[in-house]
Amino acid sequence: MIEKVMILGATGLLGRNLVQSCIKRKIKFITVGRKNCHINLDLSKPANLKNLSKKIDRSIVINATGYTSLEKCEKDFKNCYQINTRIVENFFKHSFCESFKFIQISTDQLYEGKKNFPNKETDKIKIINKYAKSKYEAEKICLGKDNSLIIRTNFTGIKDNKKETFFEWILDKINSENETVLFNDMYCSTLDVNSTADLILDLSIQNAVGVYNLGSEDFISKKEFFLKVATEMKKKYLNIREESVDTMKVKRNKNIGLDISKTKKLLNKDLPTSKEVIKKLIKEINAYK
């Protein structure tokens, strides 16, 4: 049973959902971030971590911080590194690093990918953008530590602010008449953020260390995900144009589908399919109305 969870980056999309999952399960939690949290501080500055020393003992620390805009990571790698890598580095440099279990939320955008096959945790890594580099450097700090768990995942949901999520972008495009470019050669195993938060807590209470993939049961193209959302919403959307992800300014790995067999074995249960993920996302939208 989890005694206490410390959520870093608690005001972000994943962080907010982790808070809700803790409330639902009646798990004690402490939120940490730059503002609007139980503890407000800049985690990228090592000296600030002293303020956590008395709060962190016997906790599970979930690092949900993230500088996630690939375009901004390319332009401002210094800030990208400060958030995606330096925070992890600061935790493991600190004297209290043995008093907690550290959960690093990583990314699926590391895998080189083989066509038609999902990626296992042991498959080849191919770093082709600065966002991936910053996340992989953070992973290397965690690897080998007997109190750390790395979760490679891909999720979306409703952020409801100026920074659109993938799902919010889909909703906007479905409801407009403008032409939409869809990528037919980028495959992933996207989860809804609610399920992601619940599953992260499930993984956190296990005695697992190392790397675990967390995604949907199947992996589909970005184009197919879009069309499935439109179908589920009973929207007839025809103004689309197909392109390769190679046309993007920032390079991306094409097949980042996840083999989740290791996670399923540990948790002893199936994970949501892409169809179930989409149904949950649309249910959340309906709840907002």
Side-chain angles (χ1 to χ4, degrees):
M1 182 66 182
I2 301 177
E3 288 188 18
K4 182 174 59 179
V5 173
M6 180 175 285
I7 303 168
L8 313 181
T11 58
L13 176 62
L14 178 58
R16 294 200 314 268
N17 279 271
L18 285 166
V19 167
Q20 292 305 312
S21 291
C22 286
I23 292 171
K24 181 172 62 179
R25 299 188 189 198
K26 298 181 180 179
I27 296 170
K28 293 180 181 179
F29 64 92
I30 300 172
T31 58
V32 183
R34 296 195 181 208
K35 59 183 180 179
N36 301 322
C37 292
H38 294 127
I39 302 174
N40 298 315
L41 50 80
D42 183 351
L43 290 165
S44 67
K45 297 180 179 179
N48 288 346
L49 269 67
K50 292 180 181 179
N51 298 324
L52 300 182
S53 58
K54 294 180 180 179
K55 302 280 187 179
I56 205 168
D57 190 43
R58 293 185 299 279
S59 299
I60 288 176
V61 178
I62 303 178
N63 183 21
T65 62
Y67 196 74
T68 57
S69 168
L70 271 65
E71 290 75 16
K72 289 182 179 179
C73 286
E74 292 296 313
K75 292 178 181 178
D76 185 9
F77 185 64
K78 181 179 179 180
N79 197 32
C80 164
Y81 190 88
Q82 283 289 103
I83 297 171
N84 291 347
T85 313
R86 186 75 69 195
I87 289 173
V88 179
E89 190 177 76
N90 290 343
F91 265 84
F92 283 102
K93 276 184 176 178
H94 212 282
S95 58
F96 58 51
C97 70
E98 299 298 327
S99 65
F100 57 86
K101 183 173 182 179
F102 193 83
I103 315 297
Q104 170 64 7
I105 308 304
S106 192
T107 178
D108 58 350
Q109 296 188 46
L110 303 175
Y111 292 112
E112 181 177 35
K114 296 178 182 179
K115 191 174 182 180
N116 300 324
F117 289 95
N119 296 282
K120 294 183 179 181
E121 290 86 350
T122 53
D123 282 349
K124 190 174 180 179
I125 298 297
K126 185 178 181 181
I127 306 299
I128 62 173
N129 58 56
K130 291 181 180 179
Y131 169 72
K133 177 179 172 61
S134 68
K135 289 301 236 179
Y136 191 54
E137 290 300 317
E139 283 195 10
K140 289 194 288 186
I141 295 166
C142 297
L143 283 172
K145 305 290 194 303
D146 59 8
N147 64 329
S148 70
L149 170 64
I150 297 163
I151 299 176
R152 292 177 181 161
T153 189
N154 179 303
F155 58 86
T156 191
I158 303 170
K159 203 168 187 177
D160 200 26
N161 63 17
K162 293 180 181 179
K163 299 176 182 178
E164 279 187 326
T165 65
F166 176 50
F167 181 59
E168 288 171 316
W169 175 85
I170 290 174
L171 293 177
D172 180 61
K173 294 300 181 183
I174 286 175
N175 291 319
S176 75
E177 296 181 357
N178 299 326
E179 182 181 66
T180 301
V181 175
L182 300 179
F183 299 130
N184 55 17
D185 59 353
M186 185 176 186
Y187 293 81
C188 52
S189 305
T190 304
L191 278 174
D192 62 286
V193 70
N194 291 333
S195 296
T196 304
D198 285 338
L199 290 163
I200 286 171
L201 288 182
D202 289 340
L203 285 166
S204 298
I205 64 176
Q206 304 295 326
N207 294 319
V209 295
V211 182
Y212 280 76
N213 287 336
L214 180 59
S216 60
E217 285 279 350
D218 49 347
F219 64 107
I220 61 176
S221 70
K222 294 279 190 178
K223 170 196 167 186
E224 191 177 353
F225 194 97
F226 180 99
L227 294 176
K228 281 189 173 185
V229 173
T231 299
E232 190 65 32
M233 294 179 68
K234 296 180 173 57
K235 296 281 187 177
K236 292 183 179 179
Y237 191 88
L238 301 175
N239 193 12
I240 62 174
R241 174 165 52 89
E242 294 185 35
E243 281 190 3
S244 168
V245 73
D246 291 336
T247 60
M248 296 290 287
K249 289 182 179 179
V250 180
K251 291 183 178 179
R252 291 160 167 81
N253 290 339
K254 290 184 178 180
N255 179 12
I256 49 177
L258 299 172
D259 183 320
I260 55 171
S261 55
K262 183 179 176 183
T263 297
K264 288 172 62 176
K265 183 177 180 181
L266 180 72
L267 299 180
N268 192 30
K269 66 178 180 181
D270 291 331
L271 273 58
T273 63
S274 59
K275 185 175 182 179
E276 290 169 333
V277 165
I278 289 166
K279 283 181 178 294
K280 288 182 180 182
L281 289 167
I282 292 172
K283 184 177 180 181
E284 187 178 354
I285 280 290
N286 292 335
Y288 267 73
K289 294 178 180 178

